[in-house]
Amino acid sequence: MQHVRYSATARLLHWIMAVLILSMLPVGFLMVQTGLARAVQDALFLYHKNIGVAVLLLAFARLLWRWRHPGPDLPASIPAWQARVAGVSHGLLYILMVAMPLAGYIRVRAGGFPIEMLDRIGLPTLVPRSDALAEVAKSAHYYGGIALAVLLVLHIGAALHHALILRDGVWERMAPLSRECKT
Ligand code: HEM
Ligand code: HEM
């Protein structure tokens, strides 16, 4: 039988990660601003680093699931070029989903800073202490953050276009609560 929407597991992972990643971007940009109260900045860093590590673990689980369970075919009404653009942009989102937390991890560890959740369970830092490496990772994390934000504007815009204007069943493939599918 041909599947017409993503499995419940794929949808659950997509939406948990969407909420977490959509919070990581504003928190990341906000916490590096000057003039924040120290306690607020500490709380934002604590959230960002530890939830970021959770995002990395979820991304590995999601990629593994995706590899074993490919998504459903797109509806035949979608032109080939749009299917290609969607495929490339989803590929880039998967890459950034891993690269962003990885770069953040390296930036923090190479810089000699704590990641409270991992330190508590005694995980070794896995990355050598190096200011040069921390600087490279910091730049990658910054430009990756901008690329991710731009891609997500396009991604969410496309999803809304399908859901509200085209109503062609593409939204229902990933909708968190949909019971039936029109495609
Ligand atoms: C409000 C936010 C979001 C909405 C409305 C949304 C909507 C959707 C929809 C409708 C699809 C299915 C597209 C299709 O049928 O081919 C999809 C797929 C996907 N979304 Fe999102 N999304 C959101 C946030 C995110 C975030 C934050 C990420 C991660 C950075 C993300 C990554 C992906 C990926 C990688 C796929 C492709 C799944 C696959 O084919 O394996 N999405 N999204
Ligand atoms: C999906 C995951 C993540 C996203 C989307 C994300 C996004 C961002 C963004 C947009 C910034 C602001 C960039 C800047 O102004 O330099 C930032 C900063 C930062 N992030 Fe992340 N981040 C993620 C995961 C992580 C992880 C896992 C860690 C560490 C464990 C981390 C550590 C940091 C640090 C330390 C900064 C401040 C950079 C600096 O100025 O030194 N991030 N993040």
Side-chain angles (χ1 to χ4, degrees):
M1 191 189 103
Q2 198 209 344
H3 293 282
V4 288
R5 60 178 182 157
Y6 288 91
S7 65
T9 309
R11 281 181 287 136
L12 188 68
L13 282 167
H14 175 274
W15 288 108
I16 290 175
M17 293 192 71
V19 170
L20 295 182
I21 292 172
L22 288 175
S23 72
M24 293 300 286
L25 283 167
V27 168
F29 284 125
L30 180 67
M31 71 192 194
V32 293
Q33 302 305 313
T34 48
L36 285 180
R38 185 61 199 262
V40 172
Q41 193 171 40
D42 285 350
L44 292 177
F45 264 92
L46 192 74
Y47 176 87
H48 190 87
K49 288 186 292 178
N50 292 279
I51 295 297
V53 169
V55 167
L56 181 61
L57 300 177
L58 283 169
F60 287 141
R62 183 167 172 189
L63 281 171
L64 203 67
W65 180 268
R66 179 67 166 81
W67 173 50
R68 306 298 299 173
H69 307 265
D73 290 338
L74 277 167
S77 59
I78 306 290
W81 71 268
Q82 272 183 31
R84 259 197 308 279
V85 171
V88 170
S89 64
H90 291 163
L92 289 172
L93 286 173
Y94 277 124
I95 290 172
L96 285 168
M97 212 182 280
V98 172
M100 278 303 287
L102 212 55
Y105 183 91
I106 296 170
R107 189 265 172 275
V108 168
R109 289 315 204 183
F113 298 103
I115 299 177
E116 295 71 12
M117 179 174 72
L118 300 181
D119 294 340
R120 185 121 350 136
I121 58 170
L123 193 88
T125 60
L126 305 170
V127 175
R129 173 82 182 84
S130 154
D131 287 337
L133 179 60
E135 267 313 304
V136 172
K138 180 176 162 178
S139 291
H141 199 64
Y142 173 73
Y143 290 110
I146 291 175
L148 180 60
V150 170
L151 268 172
L152 282 176
V153 168
L154 299 175
H155 182 71
I156 295 169
L160 290 177
H161 187 65
H162 283 288
L164 303 176
I165 295 169
L166 299 175
R167 300 181 190 210
D168 54 3
V170 167
W171 162 255
E172 283 73 10
R173 289 149 52 86
M174 192 52 102
L177 297 175
S178 70
R179 297 242 172 84
E180 55 178 280
C181 189
K182 291 185 206 136
T183 50

